[in-house]
Amino acid sequence: RSTAINNMTTQLHAGVREYGSGSRDSSSALWLTLRTPAGRRRPNTLNADVLRQLLRALTEAASSPPAGAAARPSVVVLAAEGDSFCAGADLNWLVSSETSSSATRLLYDTLQAVRRCALPVIARVQGHALGGGAGLAAACDLIFALRRMTAKIGFPEARVGLAPAVVSPHVLRRCGTKCTRAFLSGETLTPEEAERIGLIDELFPDAPSMDKEIEVFTRSVAKCSPSAVRDSKYLIDTVLSERASSEKLRNFVTGELDRMRHTHDAKEGVLAFTQRRKPYWTADRPALPCTHDS
C-alpha cells in the first residue's frame, strides 16, 4: 500500500510493508520513502513540503494505523530511491532571506520528531547522505547502509560558508568529537569510515540483505511491549543527555524502573514468562514523553 505526497521536486511516499501476514506473529513497518522525479539534477533534497509531510507522518505513526493498514506499525523506516538517500536541504530554500528562519526551525523540528517518535525509526541509507540528509539519518534510532564505495556521507556545509548547526545535536550524540574532521573540512566519508565513527550502525552487501534485517528487527520489536519500547527510547535519550554520573541520573534510572515495574505490561510480561506463554500487551501507544532537546 503506498500513497504519494507530491511537491515540485522530491516526493515523499508512505506505504506499509507487512511481514508474516495472517500469522500469529505478523508485524508491519511504515516506510516513508523519498523519491525525486526523473530528470531532476539534484536528487532527494529536503524542502518545506517534504519536511511538513514527514512531520505529520511521524506524528500520526504511533497514534493510528496508516491508511489501508489493519494495525499500527511496529517500526518506521526512512528510505529513498535512486543513488541518493538524501543530498541535504534545498540550499535556495534554506538560505533565502524570506524563508531562512522558518526553514531552519522546520528542519530542526522535523529532526526532533524523528528522534522523539514513539516507534523505533530506521534510516535505510542506500547511497549518498549529505548535510541535512546525513543529519536526518543521524536522528534515527538505527542507521542501516549499503557497503557502496561510491556512496558519500558527510557534512559539506563549510564549503558553502555554513556550518552543520541544526543537525549537530544528532550527529554529536552519535559520534562525539569523532565527527570533528568531517565538520571542519567538509570532507565526505565512505560508508566504512562512517561506520567507524558511529555514524552508521550496520553495513550490508546488498539491498535484499538490508531489507531482510529490517524485517528481522521489525518482527523482534513486534514481540515487545509497545510501552516498554517507548520507555526504552526515552531512557536512552535522557541518560545520554546526562552523560556524567550524578545523583540526578541515579534518581532518574532507578525511578524509571520503579515506575515501569508497576505497569500492566511489566506485570503481564513477568507472568507470561513464568507461565511460558505469549504476553498480551496493552494496545495503546501514547506519545513519547521526551521533552528535552537531544
Side-chain angles (χ1 to χ4, degrees), residues 24-54:
R24 185 182 179 187
D25 296 322
S26 63
S27 59
S28 66
L30 173 63
W31 282 59
L32 302 175
T33 305
L34 296 172
R35 183 185 301 167
T36 299
R40 296 290 180 180
R41 186 176 63 85
R42 190 168 183 247
N44 296 340
T45 54
L46 302 174
N47 57 36
D49 289 339
V50 167
L51 291 175
R52 289 192 188 103
Q53 296 293 351
L54 185 55

Side-chain angles (χ1 to χ4, degrees), residues 69-152:
R72 300 181 185 91
S74 299
V75 168
V76 176
V77 180
L78 297 187
E81 292 186 357
D83 295 329
S84 166
F85 170 72
C86 181
D90 182 316
L91 283 179
N92 291 329
W93 166 69
L94 189 65
V95 302
S96 168
S97 60
E98 296 162 355
T99 62
S100 180
S101 295
S102 61
T104 53
R105 286 195 297 268
L106 179 58
L107 178 58
Y108 179 89
D109 290 346
T110 304
L111 297 182
Q112 288 296 95
V114 173
R115 186 80 230 124
R116 295 174 178 175
C117 182
L119 307 180
V121 184
I122 300 175
R124 180 190 182 275
V125 179
Q126 88 296 357
H128 307 310
L130 300 170
L136 179 63
C140 296
D141 298 294
L142 292 170
I143 303 177
F144 293 172
L146 291 184
R147 194 184 299 273
R148 279 185 180 172
M149 292 306 296
T150 56
K152 296 178 180 180

